[in-house]
Amino acid sequence: METAKATLLHYVIDARASRFTVQAFATGILSAMGHNPTIGIRNFSGDVDFDPEHSQASGFKLSMKSNSLGVIDDISDKDRREIEKMMNEQVLESARSPEIVYEAPTITVARLEGALYSATLIGTLSFRGITRNQTVSARIAAFDEMIRASGEISLNQSDYGIKPVSVAGGALKVKDELKLSFEMVARKQE
């Protein structure tokens, strides 16, 4: 008996219809006075090959411009500029490392019900000259011409050589762990 062969379709991320955020958390004596900044990633692109009929996928790649991260919280313009300057110069070192890349050549997909799937992406995250293994779990909904994926992951800044930001002599600092959340829309390409 012959098995059906998967036909992977190529999908490209629609950044305008997608959302990718990073949540940082304050700690220290003054943390009640600080806030937990939410950072939006504005400039990213990527693609994936996916076959909803046979629950198969491969070759996911996501590239983000490190200088496109910006505070999306409702804060003063002065605070926003200070946080973004510190983030670009001290944390991400955007001038030296302009791109953040996640690549997952291996993706395991399981159909949940109907057009809903769960996926596990096994790949690497690279930025600031450091590459680390990073597994990502996502929920996927497949439609005629697009797929929508969502999920969240945690990572430690110290794994990428980043010393968490500290101000006021350490009385207010950012925790090492960050939470990344995404809702990605990718459109089928011919």
Side-chain angles (χ1 to χ4, degrees):
M1 184 169 168
E2 199 173 301
T3 359
K5 182 170 168 84
T7 303
L8 296 175
L9 304 170
H10 190 69
Y11 292 83
V12 174
I13 292 175
D14 180 346
R16 291 184 319 267
S18 301
R19 195 182 104 236
F20 199 113
T21 59
V22 179
Q23 181 75 55
F25 302 97
T27 186
I29 289 176
L30 298 178
S31 62
M33 294 169 48
H35 78 290
N36 299 320
T38 303
I39 311 300
I41 302 172
R42 297 182 289 252
N43 188 349
F44 57 90
S45 61
D47 58 358
V48 66
D49 294 325
F50 181 61
D51 175 11
E53 186 177 328
H54 296 97
S55 302
Q56 293 183 3
S58 71
F60 178 76
K61 182 175 182 180
L62 178 67
S63 298
M64 300 161 270
K65 298 296 181 194
S66 60
N67 66 357
S68 78
L69 279 69
V71 179
I72 59 175
D73 297 322
D74 187 19
I75 60 172
S76 73
D77 286 341
K78 178 182 180 279
D79 287 347
R80 181 182 323 281
R81 282 190 305 273
E82 286 178 21
I83 292 170
E84 289 177 359
K85 181 179 182 196
M86 185 180 294
M87 184 172 52
N88 278 305
E89 292 176 3
Q90 297 175 25
V91 177
L92 297 172
E93 298 178 353
S94 298
R96 186 175 69 85
S97 301
E99 195 168 40
I100 301 167
V101 177
Y102 179 73
E103 292 183 276
T106 304
I107 305 172
T108 304
V109 179
R111 185 183 299 262
L112 299 174
E113 62 178 82
L116 300 177
Y117 304 83
S118 68
T120 302
L121 292 81
I122 300 170
T124 57
L125 179 63
S126 303
F127 70 102
R128 288 180 41 118
I130 298 173
T131 299
R132 297 265 186 248
N133 291 332
Q134 183 68 55
T135 299
V136 175
S137 295
R139 294 170 301 284
I140 299 172
F143 303 96
D144 287 339
E145 298 295 315
M146 65 175 253
I147 54 176
R148 180 179 297 273
S150 61
E152 58 183 43
I153 60 172
S154 294
L155 63 85
N156 292 324
Q157 297 178 76
S158 58
D159 289 344
Y160 294 89
I162 299 170
K163 182 179 178 193
V165 173
S166 176
V167 294
L172 179 62
K173 54 187 170 184
V174 173
K175 290 183 179 178
D176 190 23
E177 183 181 26
L178 301 174
K179 183 187 289 184
L180 289 73
S181 302
F182 60 90
E183 289 185 27
M184 298 282 178
V185 170
R187 302 195 187 280
K188 185 167 46 172
Q189 304 295 301
E190 295 301 322

